[in-house]
Amino acid sequence: QEQLVESGGGSVQAGGSLRLSCAASKYTYNGNCLGWFRQPPGKELEGVARIHTRSGTTYYADSVKGRFTISRDNAKNTVYLQMNNLQPNETNIYYCAAGPLVLASCPPVPRTYEVWGQGTQVTVSL
């Protein structure tokens, strides 16, 4: 059974950076979408960033463009999320998720991502 294990979360001050990792235990992702999600209080899950594991095309929520970078190491079955200039309202649990095998595009639709990690806590203080 596939498992996604996130790591790299922690506590930083506003403006700080963290690099999250998500390691897949079983599947080789080549053509699937991998994404990072968070859920602001009282809101739906937000697709923070996604990457197409074959093409390398990346997608970002507007709120994180220019600050976050998603990348992958296919040989290691690992996806990363570099988060720069973090803001307090981005305190959340960040979840890694594996989505469908597609030719292009990685929609930020949580229900289409079938495998989820347990999440890693990111805390941003003033």
Side-chain angles (χ1 to χ4, degrees):
Q1 184 175 346
E2 174 69 301
Q3 293 187 12
L4 301 177
V5 180
E6 301 99 333
S7 62
S11 298
V12 296
Q13 292 184 317
S17 299
L18 287 171
R19 182 174 182 256
L20 308 182
S21 298
C22 172
S25 65
K26 182 178 180 180
Y27 295 164
T28 298
Y29 292 103
N30 187 12
N32 300 78
C33 297
L34 294 176
W36 290 93
F37 293 80
R38 65 191 181 192
Q39 187 168 23
K43 298 182 179 180
E44 298 180 347
L45 280 166
E46 175 188 27
V48 176
R50 295 93 66 203
I51 187 168
H52 192 275
T53 53
R54 188 171 184 84
S55 71
T57 303
T58 58
Y59 310 84
Y60 299 94
D62 288 343
S63 62
V64 307
K65 287 181 178 178
R67 298 187 296 116
F68 290 13
T69 302
I70 188 170
S71 61
R72 89 292 193 194
D73 185 335
N74 288 347
K76 296 181 179 180
N77 281 343
T78 300
V79 63
Y80 306 94
L81 184 66
Q82 177 68 44
M83 305 185 293
N84 296 330
N85 193 20
L86 283 160
Q87 301 301 304
N89 65 4
E90 293 176 312
T91 292
N92 221 309
I93 300 173
Y94 284 70
Y95 298 93
C96 177
L101 178 67
V102 297
L103 293 177
S105 183
C106 293
V109 183
R111 58 180 165 81
T112 68
Y113 289 74
E114 299 177 344
V115 181
W116 292 76
Q118 293 297 310
T120 185
Q121 176 68 230
V122 171
T123 302
V124 186
S125 61
L126 293 172

